[in-house]
Amino acid sequence: MTQEEKLLDTAGKIRSMEIRGAGRIATAAAQALKDYVLELDTSSLEEFDRQLRWAADSLLNTRPTAVSLFNAIKLVTRYSATDAQAAKEAVVNNADRFIKNSQRAVEQIGIIGSRTIRDGDTVLTHCNSMAALSVIGTAHRSGKRIKVIATESRPRYQGITTIGMLDRMGIDVELIVDSAARSVMNEVNLVVVGADVVTANGSLVNKIGTAQIALCAHEARTPFMVAAETYKFSPKTLAGELVAIEERSQEEVLETISQYRQVRVRNPAFDVTPRQYIDQICTEAGLIPPEMSYMIIKERLGWEL
Ligand code: RI2
């Protein structure tokens, strides 16, 4: 494969969700950009910039919601160099740093978030989030006996991936259908979910169904925690941009849709949970109330308007 084909292959895997999860698509994009520039053979900085921009755009256009992709690409392609070789080295270093920091962030989130879980607690999680699983896994490894209730997360059933991971960690797990969230909520001590986007006003954009779970957790007085690396926060929302909610194909929900004449299926992949239903956001920089999202964007992401 040429370097263009390899890059488009990664972009295709992100689009089809063979590579999925906000953090994993960000690190896959960083790795793809690194691999791409390593094979670029040009001494012209202008040509290097042009090819890097093509690669960045190809990756960016795969999934519209997750800001992790935007932040990763922005951080990796940020450099001030006067020649192509120096630019290449900067991109490679940026990518390595991004991937390492991202792994460390997930570990740190696990350490911080797990302190909020007590021995004997039941934790509910939705979809498949490495950050949320880090919180749960760290609590388990520290010796706390916990039970996890995991939702299926239709239509893509990321919950099945989650129960497999929890099972391998040796954690007691129960699987429920998404619509059973309220009926089990009174048994739950803590809800932990990941994030695709945290907006400047502290709202959460995450897998479809998250907002319903947050609403019923609020009604049942069950704490609701978001586990999110700081690169899941959206600088674009600080500049007034709305988060685009990805609408995926009808067939993901109903394979036999073509047999109906008048039926349409709507398949939004994400929903918005207002900050009123979020107790805390666990980041690698600490546990913060959603109202502090603005500070994370300004100070951690170094965003200037
Ligand atoms: P981590 C996923 O999106 C889920 O919405 C999950 O909560 C979020 O990414 C964060 O996952 P999708 O790619 O980055 O399954 O914590 O649509 O792994």
Side-chain angles (χ1 to χ4, degrees), residues 17 19-25 63 126-132 158 193-196 206-207 227 229 231-232 246 269-270:
M17 293 177 68
I19 300 172
R20 54 145 296 281
R24 281 158 283 180
I25 61 180
R63 296 202 65 193
H126 183 54
C127 198
N128 175 254
S129 156
M130 295 315 286
Q158 287 96 327
V193 297
D196 288 86
N206 193 49
K207 184 53 55 199
E229 302 91 316
Y231 66 80
K232 309 274 179 67
E246 179 181 3
F270 304 101

Side-chain angles (χ1 to χ4, degrees), residues 200-202 233 281 287-297 299:
N201 73 0
F233 288 66
I281 305 178
L287 270 181
I288 63 158
E291 289 76 12
M292 264 183 65
S293 300
Y294 168 83
M295 301 293 288
I296 294 283
I297 295 168
E299 288 175 9

Side-chain angles (χ1 to χ4, degrees), residues 14 37 41 62 116 183 193 225 241-242 246 252 254 284-285:
I14 294 174
V37 298
D41 187 21
T62 52
T116 68
S183 73
V193 297
M225 181 164 80
E241 236 184 81
L242 298 175
E246 179 181 3
E252 283 190 348
L254 188 65
E284 72 275 23

Side-chain angles (χ1 to χ4, degrees), residues 172-237:
D172 184 19
V173 195
E174 274 173 11
L175 176 71
I176 57 168
V177 295
D178 298 316
S179 45
R182 182 61 188 95
S183 73
V184 300
M185 195 54 82
N186 289 346
E187 303 164 28
V188 175
N189 303 101
L190 177 72
V191 176
V192 187
V193 297
D196 288 86
V197 185
V198 180
T199 67
N201 73 0
S203 298
L204 165 71
V205 181
N206 193 49
K207 184 53 55 199
I208 194 78
T210 303
Q212 287 175 22
I213 293 171
L215 188 59
C216 71
H218 184 73
E219 191 259 336
R221 308 287 186 271
T222 303
F224 183 93
M225 181 164 80
V226 178
E229 302 91 316
T230 50
Y231 66 80
K232 309 274 179 67
F233 288 66
S234 171
K236 298 194 282 185
T237 59

Side-chain angles (χ1 to χ4, degrees), residues 91-145:
V91 170
V92 169
N93 290 337
N94 289 345
D96 286 342
R97 194 176 323 115
F98 181 83
I99 293 167
K100 197 157 70 164
N101 286 346
S102 165
Q103 286 161 351
R104 277 209 201 121
V106 171
E107 284 166 25
Q108 193 61 24
I109 287 168
I111 294 167
I112 297 170
S114 66
R115 295 189 182 124
T116 68
I117 297 177
R118 294 157 306 180
D119 189 34
D121 274 357
T122 295
V123 180
L124 185 142
T125 191
H126 183 54
C127 198
N128 175 254
S129 156
M130 295 315 286
L133 285 171
S134 177
V135 171
I136 294 167
T138 309
H140 169 73
R141 283 192 300 280
S142 72
K144 292 172 187 165
R145 283 155 301 166

